[in-house]
Structures are given as structure tokens and as C-alpha cells.
């Protein structure tokens, strides 16, 4: 049987751009490559009239029971020059106002994705000079300040900078070990001076870096309310609570001017359409940014400005399980104009702004109303004071240098706030179990309700008592949210969706998974041994999931206590196949609907069709979850804040774009770099000050690298000492037990993000072939015990040489097949590169994964992965084949090298996916040979492979054997499989 799949097209078109050796398969592909990689498009903009405006109105400070005392200086010298520029009305240099046609419409452009893009007509981020005067259209940015290419100040040379960066930021070497290294280098090279005299010398050089220098400041907060007239005064009423922070204005200006973000910033709100349908992607593509620009543009002096929202996030984190004060409360800030891919890629697009105070008190006072009120007031007063430097520039633009080298008049605004539910309740000043966005009652969160707002809360305050507000509206009436002191800010409109806590860890892990376990125990309560048997089988099914790049392994099922967000994400990928057959179909469908919802809202681009799918998935989930109520597992209903939050996702996506750039997983990941690792590097004695210095040094090194990189001062090979240290670090065990992606050899990287612009997808063989194997195809076939390999390869070659033949190679007589006499090479893997912006990818949305086909995986069992093969342009799985790769090889014939794969095909079991899981079902193609079952094999060109595929065995109601079946041989033991569309987000987009 001959499978139809997209024909191989050789790469014949070479890019002639200087230094580029890329080969493309078509003239169209060459054009797209040239436009995407080698051409910087000019951003043409209209100019509009404006007039001077008075300074922004003053805002009162919060009226609370707290007192702020600002410390004039930090306890160590951390200088921070503040950039400022004279404010100037939007006029030309001649002084005449700019002329604009009446009724100006949004400017429309078309990008390489054939999308129509409308940009805001008034806040269009017109480039200006340092004094705020607009530049002419197409005017180039001012030349960068001259810099000596040999000046790596404060470092003497590039090698010392790289060494300091490696030791401090990458390897995190301790001060004692730095001194030991210096002594060793001095002993090895006695005639040369060491790179540093000591760790103190290295630290002083890092502290002297001018780039990225934003000083830490502090202020103290004390209680100023009524104290008890008799009895002891609680300690928290007399204590000073210290808050450390960095000026968010300086932090944002560093991000706006970061050259690394040049291609990842939206300078103006925009609306994206494709084929007439609206698309939502980054924050600036949503309705909120456009509406904010409309409000700002009421003041004509802001016309032509750049709108720059700040995305905030805060969350307590624990750094140690030891006794004592081990909690910290970091506050993060990110420029809302940067693309979601940058915010998720941990490329300094999310910055540590401060550490909020965590008030503590004795057990008898911690639940008192006074202490709870003070704790809330302290939080909001701290935020208001930290962000106060931004307030003047929320109404009056500030001239700022941007990443593309131009100056623009920037106007700031408070953007979405990333927080989990307890933090959302604190931010919105609401009672626990109420919704921070709407007024739905906690006993019926899915009932009709109106949206909350500052205006609505003010009306309630004028009408009702504090007790009525608490009981009937869920409002903490004696507290004012910090957003009330900033223009155009309403905290109820700024609550961001939280994929991690609301869907993955909340609705999926804490609700559905626990409810299914409770159901199994409930239905088998008369035979508890049966319940334990079924739960153990579910664990075995989870542990038997075949390996796949990026898939988390569960050797013991889900029988462990310390769950993380990544554990929940990993379980979500394999859970459906594990429970199907053990629980009612409605339960499986409820889980499938929720996971579908999660993967849909997690997409990088969400259009109107996807929004309709999201709403349909949510409706299915609400319909099928009733099975938990009907079976008595959830008799009290589903009035749960985290589940209720899902109903707001469609509207929040329209407001803020795709939620994957606003998820709390971003801030939780930042905890590791900004809090946990700096804490471990401290001496644990008053560690906060040491953590602040560590963060500042890391930021300075990163800023210096960006500065040197933009001037091409880091090109060239590394010095031998750094290369040796990298090799040593990559081969020895580390106390952190993890290696940076750059430290792992490329051949061993299972998957990961790729930096650079979007390019065409491709699959290529590994760089090195397997040694000590026969190079003749007949000898190789005997060595591998694949005796049909020569014939299958010859039939493949016949198809390549005669693509238009009436009879395919599978039907040609053996004596008419070409003879292969060229060299044959075998490879253990192939590398797929593809566009997958919804997964962890580079700033251009590119990602790579390794497809394995080898006799022994890390000295153990064989590993033969599965792949998707393009069949047609039909949507979803109907346009794909699935096959299992048993050999990667290449051979040479008449001067042409053919990269190939020997595969076993899979055929669908039905014309539609499984109605319960939503996944397609397949079985391997086999045939009977002398009474024995043999796989149907075929040789295909590597170019026909799209990427890796993941299959999960279908067990139904049968229990898996206790021994003999695991993840290494599951693909050989099951008779049929699910095509796992939940393996990652790209698979969900192509295998539905």
C-alpha cells in the first residue's frame, strides 16, 4: 500500500545576502526569508496637530492608618542617574503646529502573515528629537553616541567581562571559590596577572557598570491608628515595616530603550484582522489598550505620543523550609508594550521592582480585625508610593529613547495585574469567595451579575454601612485600592486571567483530579480493594506514557505530595488516556472539555473563530461537570471562584489579548532568579540586603551585555579558560541539579526555544552519524537485521527519480529498481524546527525538538519515536499521517544525498476522533507473513516529516499488567493508540 504525502522538494534557491548561506525550496520561500531576515521595514506614520497642555492634576495620598517614612539613602552606595528631558509641546522644529486632515482614520498596513493591522490614529508613537519636536516621516534615528569598540569599561577587556559574567551570573560561583580560582590561575600562569585580584575586585568592577544602574530605595510604614487604652500594645502597632523598591520609571525606561527588544515592542495600540476576522495576540492588540489611548487622546497635547502600560505582578514565595522568616513578597513590573513571547522568555522583560513588607504578629492578634485591616492598608499604601514616580507621566508625556534608537514622547498607564486569587481579592478589596471582577454572590457565582468598578463601589459606600457592604456585596469598605490614586486605572478592570492557578492547578488538579479519585472511592466503597486497584492502574497508565520531548515523567504515577505547576501541566497531557474506561463517559468528557479550554486560551494568537471554540468548550465543561453533582461527589455545586473565573476569559482575551503573556507562571518563574537563587547565595544573616545587591549586579551584567552586543563587541570565540570552565560545569554534577540550555550539547537537547525571526519549518538529521557501521546498504541491512531495507530504499529512490511515473515504486518489478551503491550513513536522531509560538519558543516563535530512533536510549531499552507526516492541506489530523521511525539514514546516489527514514505507518480506527477524549485513535499497519504479524514498513524522505508525534496506549476497561510494560515498550504492547493532541500546544493546533 502506498501512502500519499506531500512530495519532497529540494532546496535549490540560495540566499545571496552577504554572510547568509540559507537554501530555500521555492522563489516564494526565498522572498519571505529575505524580507523576514534581511530587510528592516520602514514604519510610515502620519502626524497630527496638538497643543500645549498644563501639568497633570495632583492626586491626594491615601487616607489610611499607616504612615510612610522615606529613608533618604540606602545603607550602601548604589548610584542611579535619572534620565530626564524637557517636556515640549507636539510641534515641528519651526514652531508651527502639525497639520492633520479632519476625520483621520486608523492607518492600515499588511504584514508578512497577510494580516491587516490598524494602528491608533492619535497615539501613533511619532518619533521626535530629544526636545520632543516631531521628526519628519522616514527620518532615521539619531546616531548612537560614539563608543570605542575596545572600551569594555569598567572591565579592561572583553575576556574579563565574559569571565565575570560567567562566574557571577551563569555559574553563580561563591566568593570563596572565586578566590580559589584566581589562585589557581595565578599558579598556572605565574608570569601573567590574573583576571581579578579577588572576588572583591570582581564585585567592584560589576558594581561600577553604568548600564542598568537603578538604585534601591526604601521607606518605612508604621501603624497610626487607635491603640488599646488598657493592656499591652501589640508589637505590630509599634513596629516599622520596611519596603525596598527601585524607581519603576527608570526600570521601564531601561526596558523601552533595550536594543534586544527592538523587534518585540508595539509602540502604538493596534487591531489585527485576517480575512475580516479580529485577532488578539499581545497586550497592545486588545481593546483595553485602544480604549486607554482614546481616553489619553482627549488631551490634544498627547497626540503622537507612545502609550506604555506597566504590567505588575506580586506573589509571596518561600525560599527555605527552615525555621524563621523565610517568606518574601516580591513585586515585578514589565513594559506592557513588549510582546508576550519576550515576557515569557525570561529575557529581562520582567523586572524585580521591590520587596513588599510582610507584617507578622503573635498568634492571639493575627486574626484580629485591626491587624487584617492594617495588613491590607500596608499593601495598597506601599504600591501607591512605589508607583508614584509614574503618576506625573500618566498625563504628561516624557521624552524617552526607545529600543529602535528613536526618541518618543511616552505616556504611562497602569496595566493588567498578574496575581492568583488570594492576591486578587486583596487587590480588589473584596471578601474572600467573591469575584474580583463581577458582583456574583459566592453561593451562586454563575448567576447573573454586573461588573464591578470604582464608580459602583463609591455609590455603595454612600448608601450602605460597612457591614452591609461586606455581607451583601463582598466589599471591604474601609479600604481604598491603590489604583484609585492613578488616572484611568480601575483595579476591577485590570485583573488579568491566571492560567496556572485558575485552570491548571485549580480547576484541573485541585478539582477534577481530586473529584475523580473521590468518585472511584465512592462508587467502590463497599469493595475498597477495587478502588485501590483502579487508582493503581491509573497510575500505571500514567507511568507507561511513551517518552516525548518536554513530557514530564511520572514513574510512580501521581503518587507524590509536592505538586508544582509543571507537574500539573505534565499530568494534564496524559491524564485523559489514563482515566478513560475507569470512569463514566461524562467525566472523561468534562476533563476533555476543560483541557481543550486550557489549550485554546493558551494559544499565542486567538481569533474570533478560536473565541467561539473557547466558549463552546466552556459550555461543554459546564454541561458535563454536572455528573459530579449527580453522583454525589460535588453535591454542593460548583460555586468556586477559580472555576467561575473561566467565564470571564472570553471578555478578558478581548481586553488584554492572549492570556499566555499575563499568566502567574511568568512571575513564579521569576521567583527562582530574583528571590530563591539570590537567597541561597547569601549568608542567611539578614539576607534581604544581599539579595538586593545580587539582583542589581545581575541587572548590570545583563545591561552591559546588551550594550556590548548592540555594538558587536562580543563577537568571536571564548577564551580558553571560559571554555574549560563551561566544559567542567557541564560534565560535573551541580548542586542546582540543572544545566542552562546553552551548557547542554545540542545533540542531547530534547526540545527548546530558538531565538531569531520566524522561518520555514524543517527537519534535519543529526550532525554526527553512528560510527562503526557498514556503509554498504546490503551489509547494513544484515547488520541491523532489516533485510528488506535495500528493496524499500530502492523503491523510494525510484519514486524520487520518476515522480510522474504512472506506476509507483511499490508496484515496479524488482529488476527495474535502481541499484544503490553509494555510501549509507545511520543517525540516531533528527532535529525538527518549526513555528510554535504558543509553546515556550524564541522571540520569533520558533522551537526545536529531537526525534529519536536508536537501539539503546542512555544504555537502556530502544527508543523509536513517532512523527507526523504531511498528507494534504486538510485541517487538523485529516491532513496528517502518523508513523513510527525505526531508522534514520542517508545514502548517496549519483552525487545527490537523500536523507531518509524507515517508518511503520498507523491507520485511523474511525473517521472521527474519540467522542469522549476528543483524540484520534490509530493502530499500526501490519500484515501476515507466514502466519506471523509483521509491521508494514516504507522508506520516506526526511522532508515529508512535519515534527514528532506522541501516542498513548488505549487500555479501555482492562487493567495493565503489573510487570513487563512501561514507558520504554508501551508502543510495542498496545494494539491501538490515541494521537495525543495535548502533548504540547502546537500538537493541539495541528492534530485536532
Amino acid at each position: 500500500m502506498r501512502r500519499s504525502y506531500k512530495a519532497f522538494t529540494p532546496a535549490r534557491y540560495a540566499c545571496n545576502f552577504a554572510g547568509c548561506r540559507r537554501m530555500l525550496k521555492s522563489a516564494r520561500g526565498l522572498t519571505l526569508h529575505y524580507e523576514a531576515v534581511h530587510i528592516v521595514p520602514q514604519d510610515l506614520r502620519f502626524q497630527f496637530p496638538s497643543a500645549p497642555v498644563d501639568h497633570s492634576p495632583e492626586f491626594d495620598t491615601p487616607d489610611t492608618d499607616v504612615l510612610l517614612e522615606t529613608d533618604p539613602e540606602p545603607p550602601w552606595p548604589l548610584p542611579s542617574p535619572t534620565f530626564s528631558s524637557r517636556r515640549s509641546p507636539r510641534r515641528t522644529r519651526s514652531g508651527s503646529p502639525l497639520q492633520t486632515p479632519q476625520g483621520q482614520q486608523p492607518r492600515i498596513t499588511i504584514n508578512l502573515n497577510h494580516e491587516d493591522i490598524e494602528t491608533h490614529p492619535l497615539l501613533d508613537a511619532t518619533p521626535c528629537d530629544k526636545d520632543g519636536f516631531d521628526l519628519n516621516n522616514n527620518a532615521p534615528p539619531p546616531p548612537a553616541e560614539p563608543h570605542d569598540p575596545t572600551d569594555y569599561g569598567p572591565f579592561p577587556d572583553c575576556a574579563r567581562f565574559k569571565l565575570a559574567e560567567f562566574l557571577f551570573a551563569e555559574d553563580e560561583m561563591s566568593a570563596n571559590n572565586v578566590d580559589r580560582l584566581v589562585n589557581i590561575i595565578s599558579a598556572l600562569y605565574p608570569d601573567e596577572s590574573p583576571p581579578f585580584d579577588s572576588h572583591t575586585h570582581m564585585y567592584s568592577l560589576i558594581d561600577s557598570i553604568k548600564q542598568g544602574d537603578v538604585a534601591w530605595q526604601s521607606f518605612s510604614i508604621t501603624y497610626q491608628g487607635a491603640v488599646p487604652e488598657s493592656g499591652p500594645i501589640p508589637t505590630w502597632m509599634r513596629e516599622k515595616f520596611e519596603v525596598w523598591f527601585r524607581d519603576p520609571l527608570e526600570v521601564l525606561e531601561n526596558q523601552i530603550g533595550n536594543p534586544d527588544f527592538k523587534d518585540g515592542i508595539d509602540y502604538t495600540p493596534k487591531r489585527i484582522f485576517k480575512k475580516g476576522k479580529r485577532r488578539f495576540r499581545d497586550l497592545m492588540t486588545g481593546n483595553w489598550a485602544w480604549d486607554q489611548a482614546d481616553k489619553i487622546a482627549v488631551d490634544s497635547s498627547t497626540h503622537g505620543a507612545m502609550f506604555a502600560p506597566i504590567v505588575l505582578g506580586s506573589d509571596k514565595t518561600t525560599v527555605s523550609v527552615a525555621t524563621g522568616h523565610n517568606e518574601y513578597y516580591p513585586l515585578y513590573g514589565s513594559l506592557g508594550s513588549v510582546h508576550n513571547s519576550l515576557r515569557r522568555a525570561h529575557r529581562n522583560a520582567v523586572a524585580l521592582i521591590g520587596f513588599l513588607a510582610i507584617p507578622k504578629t503573635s498568634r492571639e492578634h493575627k486574626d484580629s480585625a485591626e491587624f487584617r485591616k492594617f495588613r491590607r492598608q500596608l499593601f495598597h499604601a506601599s504600591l501607591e508610593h512605589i508607583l508614584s514616580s509614574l503618576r506625573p507621566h500618566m498625563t504628561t508625556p516624557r521624552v524617552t529613547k526607545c529600543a529602535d534608537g528613536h526618541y518618543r514622547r511616552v505616556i504611562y498607564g497602569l496595566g493588567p495585574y498578574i496575581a492568583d486569587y488570594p492576591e486578587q481579592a486583596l487587590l480588589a478589596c473584596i471578601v474572600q469567595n467573591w469575584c474580583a471582577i463581577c458582583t456574583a454572590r459566592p453561593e451562586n457565582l454563575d448567576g447573573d451579575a454586573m461588573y464591578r468598578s470604582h464608580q459602583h463601589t463609591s455609590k455603595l459606600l454612600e448608601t450602605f454601612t460597612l457591614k452591609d457592604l461586606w455581607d451583601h456585596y463582598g466589599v471591604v469598605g474601609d479600604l481604598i485600592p491603590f489604583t484609585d490614586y492613578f488616572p484611568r486605572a480601575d483595579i476591577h478592570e485590570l485583573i488579568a486571567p491566571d492560567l496556572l492557578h485558575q485552570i491548571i492547578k485549580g480547576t484541573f488538579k485541585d478539582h477534577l483530579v481530586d473529584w475523580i479519585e473521590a468518585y472511584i472511592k465512592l462508587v467502590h466503597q463497599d469493595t475498597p480493594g477495587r478502588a485501590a486497584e483502579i487508582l493503581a492502574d491509573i497510575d500505571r497508565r500514567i507511568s507507561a506514557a511513551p517518552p516525548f520531548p518536554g513530557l514530564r515523567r511520572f514513574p510512580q504515577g501521581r503518587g507524590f505530595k509536592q505538586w508544582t505547576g509543571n507537574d500539573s501541566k505534565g499530568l494534564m497531557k496524559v491524564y485523559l488516556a489514563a482515566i478513560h474506561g475507569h470512569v463514566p463517559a461524562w467525566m472523561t468528557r468534562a476533563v476533555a472539555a476543560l483541557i481543550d479550554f486550557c489549550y485554546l486560551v493558551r494559544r499565542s494568537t486567538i481569533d474570533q473563530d478560536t473565541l467561539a471554540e473557547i466558549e463552546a468548550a466552556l459550555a461543554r465543561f459546564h454541561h458535563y461537570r454536572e455528573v459530579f453533582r449527580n453522583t454525589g461527589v460535588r453535591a454542593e455545586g460548583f460555586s468556586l471562584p477559580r472555576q467561575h473565573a473561566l467565564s470571564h476569559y472570553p471578555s478578558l482575551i478581548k481586553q488584554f489579548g492572549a492570556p499566555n503573556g499575563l499568566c502567574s507562571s511568568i512571575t513564579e518563574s521569576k521567583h527562582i532568579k530574583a528571590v530563591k537563587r539570590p537567597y541561597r547565595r547569601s549568608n542567611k544573616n539578614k539576607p534581604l540586603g544581599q539579595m538586593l545587591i545580587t539582583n542589581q549586579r545581575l541587572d548590570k551584567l545583563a545591561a552591559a551585555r546588551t550594550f556590548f552586543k548592540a555594538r558587536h563587541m562580543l563577537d568571536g570565540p571564548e577564551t580558553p579558560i571560559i571554555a574549560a570552565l563551561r566544559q567542567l560545569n557541564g560534565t560535573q554534577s551541580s548542586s542546582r541539579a540543572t544545566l542552562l540550555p546553552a551548557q547542554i550539547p545540542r545533540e542531547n537537547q530534547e526540545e527548546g526555544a530558538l531565538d531569531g525571526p520566524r522561518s520555514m519549518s524543517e527537519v534535519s538529521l543529526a550532525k554526527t552519524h553512528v560510527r562503526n557501521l557498514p556503509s554498504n546498504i546490503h551489509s547494513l541491512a544484515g547488520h541491523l537485521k532489516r533485510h528488506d531495507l535495500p528493496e524499500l530504499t530502492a523503491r523510494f529512490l525510484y519514486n524520487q527519480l520518476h515522480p510522474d511515473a504512472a506506476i509507483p515504486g511499490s508496484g515496479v518489478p524488482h529488476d527495474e529498481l535502481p541499484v544503490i551503491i553509494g555510501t549509507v550513513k545511520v543517525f540516531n536522531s533528527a532535529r525538527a524546527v518549526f513555528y510554535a509560538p504558543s509553546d515556550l519558543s524564541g522571540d520569533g516563535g520558533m522551537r526545536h525538538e529531537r526525534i529519536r530512533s536508536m537501539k539503546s536510549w542512555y544504555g537502556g531499552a530502544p527508543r523509536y519515536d513517532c512523527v507526523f507526516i504531511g498528507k494534504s492541506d486538510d485541517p487538523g489530523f485529516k491532513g496528517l499521517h502518523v508513523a513510527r521511525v525505526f531508522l534514520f539514514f542517508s545514502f548517496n546516489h549519483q552525487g545527490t544525498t537523500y536523507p531518509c527514514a524507515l517508518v511503520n505507518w498507523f491507520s485511523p480506527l474511525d473517521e472521527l476522533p474519540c467522542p469522549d477524549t476528543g483524540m484520534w485513535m490509530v493502530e499500526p499497519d501490519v500484515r501476515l507473513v507466514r502466519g506471523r504479524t509483521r509491521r508494514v514498513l516504507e522508506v520516506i524522505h526526511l522532508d515529508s516529516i512535519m515534527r514528532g508525534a506522541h501516542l498513548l496506549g488505549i487500555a479501555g476497561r482492562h487493567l495493565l499488567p503489573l510487570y513487563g510494560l512501561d514507558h520504554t515498550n508501551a508502543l510495542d504492547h498496545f494494539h491501538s493508540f490515541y494521537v495525543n493532541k495535548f502533548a504540547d500546544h502546537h500538537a493541539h493546533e495541528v492534530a485536532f
Side-chain angles (χ1 to χ4, degrees):
M1 181 177 66
R2 185 187 183 192
R3 295 275 180 160
S4 62
Y5 49 86
K6 294 182 179 179
F8 163 67
T9 304
R12 298 176 298 174
Y13 295 82
C15 177
N16 295 323
F17 193 85
C20 184
R21 300 179 180 178
R22 186 66 184 272
M23 298 292 294
L24 285 305
K25 299 177 182 178
S26 65
R28 175 61 177 164
L30 178 62
T31 301
L32 291 176
H33 163 75
Y34 190 81
E35 291 176 348
V37 179
H38 301 305
I39 293 181
V40 179
Q42 293 293 331
D43 192 8
L44 306 178
R45 305 179 191 276
F46 290 105
Q47 294 181 325
F48 299 91
S50 64
V53 66
D54 295 333
H55 288 280
S56 59
E58 296 293 333
F59 290 84
D60 296 331
T61 56
D63 182 15
T64 64
D65 291 337
V66 300
L67 176 65
L68 275 66
E69 299 177 1
T70 305
D71 292 345
E73 295 181 358
W76 54 83
L78 296 173
S80 176
T82 304
F83 172 84
S84 62
S85 181
R86 180 173 62 87
R87 184 173 62 89
S88 177
R90 188 166 188 257
R91 293 176 176 267
T92 61
R93 185 166 294 280
S94 63
S96 61
L98 297 171
Q99 300 298 321
T100 303
Q102 296 294 326
Q104 179 66 52
Q105 297 297 319
R107 176 173 173 265
I108 300 177
T109 59
I110 301 176
N111 63 11
L112 293 178
N113 295 326
H114 306 291
E115 297 172 327
D116 298 327
I117 300 179
E118 294 182 0
T119 53
H120 198 275
L122 298 178
L123 263 69
D124 58 355
T126 301
C128 63
D129 60 19
K130 290 184 178 181
D131 298 321
F133 292 100
D134 289 350
L135 301 178
N136 295 326
N137 288 341
N138 302 323
E145 296 181 2
H147 184 81
D148 182 358
T150 63
D151 180 11
Y152 292 88
F155 296 91
D157 50 44
C158 180
R160 283 174 172 79
F161 166 75
K162 286 186 175 181
L163 181 59
E165 182 187 40
F166 172 78
L167 295 178
F168 189 85
E170 188 172 330
D171 192 72
E172 299 180 2
M173 187 174 288
S174 67
N176 289 335
N177 285 345
V178 171
D179 291 339
R180 289 179 61 190
L181 178 64
V182 169
N183 293 333
I184 294 172
I185 295 176
S186 299
L188 288 173
Y189 306 98
D191 298 332
E192 299 181 10
S193 60
F196 309 111
D197 297 338
S198 63
H199 74 274
T200 305
H201 180 211
M202 185 183 76
Y203 292 166
S204 65
L205 290 176
I206 297 175
D207 292 336
S208 300
I209 296 175
K210 296 180 180 179
Q211 295 84 9
D213 189 7
V214 183
W216 285 97
Q217 308 172 46
S218 71
F219 59 88
S220 299
I221 296 180
T222 57
Y223 175 74
Q224 293 295 304
V227 298
E229 296 181 358
S230 59
I233 299 176
T235 56
W236 64 267
M237 291 185 176
R238 299 172 301 189
E239 188 176 352
K240 284 186 177 182
F241 297 96
E242 196 170 41
V243 176
W244 285 92
F245 73 102
R246 296 191 287 184
D247 187 352
L249 179 62
E250 295 184 52
V251 172
L252 288 181
E253 286 184 342
N254 284 342
Q255 293 184 359
I256 293 175
N258 189 337
D260 272 357
F261 299 165
K262 180 178 63 174
D263 299 322
I265 292 182
D266 291 321
Y267 292 103
T268 178
K270 60 185 182 182
R271 294 169 176 165
I272 303 177
F273 298 86
K274 189 169 185 178
K275 297 180 180 179
K277 296 181 179 179
R278 180 80 179 272
R279 313 190 93 191
F280 301 93
R281 189 173 295 139
D282 305 303
L283 177 61
M284 299 297 277
T285 67
N287 294 333
W288 175 84
W290 194 283
D291 293 341
Q292 289 286 302
D294 286 343
K295 294 177 181 178
I296 295 170
V298 171
D299 182 353
S300 60
S301 69
T302 63
H303 293 179
M306 168 189 169
F307 175 50
I310 177 174
V311 176
L312 297 169
S314 60
D315 183 31
K316 294 187 184 74
T317 183
T318 302
V319 296
S320 171
V321 295
T323 58
H325 186 81
N326 52 22
E327 275 190 318
Y328 290 91
Y329 204 163
L331 173 68
Y332 303 108
S334 173
L335 178 66
S337 306
V338 301
H339 294 170
N340 288 347
S341 57
L342 288 177
R343 197 173 295 116
R344 291 161 41 210
H346 313 299
R347 289 179 51 187
N348 296 317
V350 178
L352 177 67
I353 290 181
F355 282 95
L356 304 177
I358 305 178
K360 300 286 186 178
T361 188
S362 56
R363 185 183 298 271
E364 66 267 25
H365 298 296
K366 71 174 184 177
D367 292 328
S368 65
E370 294 84 1
F371 178 71
R372 292 201 304 267
K373 177 182 176 181
F374 171 75
R375 189 172 54 193
R376 299 189 189 104
Q377 288 182 339
L378 184 149
F379 174 80
H380 286 275
S382 299
L383 288 180
E384 188 277 333
H385 185 74
I386 291 172
L387 300 171
S388 59
S389 64
L390 291 171
R391 186 158 49 213
H393 307 293
M394 293 180 176
T395 52
T396 303
R398 176 182 172 92
V399 178
T400 306
K401 189 174 183 179
C402 299
D404 61 357
H406 277 294
Y407 287 92
R408 289 180 176 85
R409 301 164 62 245
V410 178
I411 191 161
Y412 296 93
L414 294 185
Y417 203 111
I418 302 173
D420 57 13
Y421 176 73
E423 195 88 351
Q424 290 178 2
L426 175 60
L427 285 162
C429 303
I430 63 164
V431 181
Q432 289 285 335
N433 296 324
W434 289 74
C435 177
I437 298 176
C438 70
T439 58
R441 296 190 60 81
E443 65 271 13
N444 184 22
L445 286 172
D446 293 330
D448 295 334
M450 62 180 292
Y451 284 101
R452 295 184 184 272
S453 67
H454 285 179
Q455 183 180 8
H456 178 250
T457 302
S458 298
K459 294 295 183 182
L460 294 177
L461 286 169
E462 296 173 0
T463 309
F464 298 99
T465 64
L466 294 179
K467 186 177 186 305
D468 290 334
L469 291 173
W470 183 286
D471 293 338
H472 302 297
Y473 295 94
V475 174
V476 182
D478 55 355
L479 192 64
I480 300 175
F482 76 98
T483 51
D484 204 38
Y485 301 95
F486 295 89
R488 306 181 309 276
D490 189 328
I491 189 58
H492 305 293
E493 298 175 357
L494 299 179
I495 298 295
D498 183 10
L499 300 171
L500 178 62
H501 291 94
Q502 291 169 347
I503 303 178
I504 300 170
K505 293 177 68 174
T507 306
F508 172 71
K509 168 60 179 65
D510 294 342
H511 297 165
L512 294 187
V513 173
D514 289 351
W515 294 352
I516 286 176
E517 182 174 345
Y519 165 79
I520 293 173
K521 292 179 178 179
L522 178 65
V523 75
H524 297 290
Q525 56 184 343
D526 295 334
T527 54
R530 177 61 178 170
E533 187 180 40
I534 292 176
L535 292 174
D537 187 66
I538 292 175
D539 286 341
R540 285 196 296 274
R541 294 184 184 186
I542 293 173
S543 64
F548 186 76
L551 183 68
R552 203 171 190 84
R553 286 277 301 118
F554 295 92
Q556 306 299 327
R558 50 186 198 86
F560 55 95
K561 298 179 180 179
Q562 203 67 18
W563 279 86
T564 66
N566 288 331
D567 293 328
S568 299
K569 293 176 187 176
L571 181 64
M572 184 180 285
K573 297 178 180 181
V574 298
Y575 190 63
L576 273 176
I579 64 172
H580 192 218
H582 284 319
V583 297
W586 269 39
M587 287 189 182
T588 306
R589 294 183 181 188
V591 177
L594 176 73
I595 301 177
D596 263 328
F597 177 88
C598 177
Y599 276 64
L600 288 169
V601 299
R602 180 64 174 71
R603 289 186 179 179
S604 177
T605 299
I606 299 176
D607 57 19
Q608 290 176 271
D609 292 337
T610 310
L611 279 173
E613 293 181 55
I614 290 171
E615 293 175 344
L618 184 60
R620 292 199 310 273
F621 171 64
H622 285 165
H623 174 71
Y624 289 121
R625 72 177 180 180
E626 290 296 322
V627 67
F628 294 103
R629 192 202 307 263
N630 298 336
T631 55
V633 175
R634 190 67 190 175
E636 63 271 32
F638 310 101
S639 191
L640 302 165
R642 286 181 290 181
Q643 284 199 27
H644 164 72
L646 309 188
S647 62
H648 292 300
Y649 272 58
S651 61
L652 291 176
I653 290 170
K654 295 176 184 177
Q655 289 294 100
F656 302 134
N660 64 6
L662 300 173
C663 178
S664 61
S665 60
I666 296 174
T667 54
E668 291 213 353
S669 297
K670 189 70 176 178
H671 287 339
I672 299 173
K673 180 179 180 181
V675 182
K676 296 188 177 183
R677 285 184 179 171
Y679 174 82
R680 293 170 190 153
R681 298 174 69 169
S682 71
N683 62 13
K684 313 302 185 295
N685 180 27
K686 297 182 179 180
L688 181 57
Q690 302 166 61
M691 294 162 63
L692 300 181
I693 294 178
T694 298
N695 274 282
Q696 189 170 43
R697 288 170 177 164
L698 291 172
D699 288 347
K700 286 188 173 188
L701 285 169
R705 163 165 281 277
T706 299
F707 180 82
F708 297 146
K709 181 181 177 181
R711 288 155 180 79
H712 307 286
M713 297 169 60
L714 299 178
D715 301 336
E718 293 181 331
T719 58
I721 182 64
I722 299 178
L725 286 171
R726 288 188 187 278
Q727 183 178 6
L728 181 66
N729 189 55
T731 56
Q732 292 185 347
S733 61
S734 171
S735 60
R736 285 173 283 154
T738 57
L739 294 177
L740 299 174
Q743 297 172 271
I744 304 174
R746 175 174 285 186
E747 296 296 307
N748 294 330
Q749 289 184 24
E750 285 283 285
E751 48 82 33
L754 284 181
D755 289 333
R758 177 180 176 180
S759 60
M760 301 179 68
S761 301
E762 61 181 358
V763 179
S764 57
L765 293 173
K767 286 190 174 182
T768 57
H769 64 276
V770 181
R771 308 294 180 182
N772 302 322
L773 288 181
S775 59
N776 177 272
I777 193 167
H778 296 281
S779 301
L780 179 66
H783 180 83
L784 299 178
K785 298 181 180 180
R786 298 206 177 269
H787 303 289
D788 53 354
L789 179 63
E791 179 182 348
L792 294 175
T793 306
R795 296 189 183 281
F796 159 78
L797 181 59
Y798 181 90
N799 290 329
Q800 296 298 310
L801 298 176
H802 306 89
D804 300 323
I807 300 177
S810 58
V812 175
H814 192 275
D815 57 356
E816 296 182 15
L817 295 175
V819 178
I820 300 173
I821 60 175
T823 301
V824 182
K825 297 179 179 179
V826 175
F827 300 82
N828 281 333
S829 67
R831 182 172 180 255
V833 176
F834 50 94
Y835 180 66
S838 300
D839 290 291
L840 183 60
S841 56
D843 52 4
M846 299 303 296
R847 178 177 176 80
H848 76 95
E849 70 179 11
R850 186 68 57 175
I851 305 168
R852 307 283 181 180
S853 180
M854 51 203 312
K855 293 179 62 176
S856 177
W857 173 243
Y858 279 108
R863 176 172 170 180
Y864 301 110
D865 290 346
C866 297
V867 293
F868 287 121
I869 297 174
K871 176 174 64 174
S872 66
D873 293 328
D874 292 337
F877 186 71
K878 292 183 178 180
L880 299 174
H881 286 305
V882 172
R884 189 179 181 192
V885 181
F886 284 97
L887 185 67
F888 282 121
F889 69 102
S890 69
F891 67 92
N892 187 277
H893 182 77
Q894 295 180 355
T896 301
T897 300
Y898 294 90
C900 305
L902 178 68
V903 301
N904 171 219
W905 296 103
F906 287 78
S907 294
L909 293 178
D910 203 345
E911 295 182 356
L912 294 173
C914 171
D916 296 333
T917 65
M919 295 184 287
W920 287 85
M921 299 176 290
V922 296
E923 61 181 358
D925 289 355
V926 296
R927 60 184 176 185
L928 287 176
V929 178
R930 299 172 185 172
R932 299 186 65 180
T933 300
R934 301 292 185 185
R935 297 185 178 95
V936 176
L937 300 176
E938 183 179 355
V939 173
I940 64 172
H941 200 287
L942 195 71
D943 189 66
S944 62
I945 295 177
M946 178 180 176
R947 57 152 299 180
H950 189 229
L951 303 186
L952 294 170
I954 300 176
R957 297 179 179 274
H958 300 286
L959 300 179
L960 297 188
L962 295 178
Y963 306 101
L965 191 153
D966 58 23
H967 67 286
T968 63
N969 57 22
L971 291 173
D972 299 315
H973 280 66
F974 286 94
H975 298 292
S976 56
F977 301 87
Y978 291 115
V979 180
N980 187 10
K981 67 177 182 179
F982 304 115
D984 54 40
H985 296 281
H986 182 257
H988 187 264
E989 296 179 19
V990 301
F992 58 89

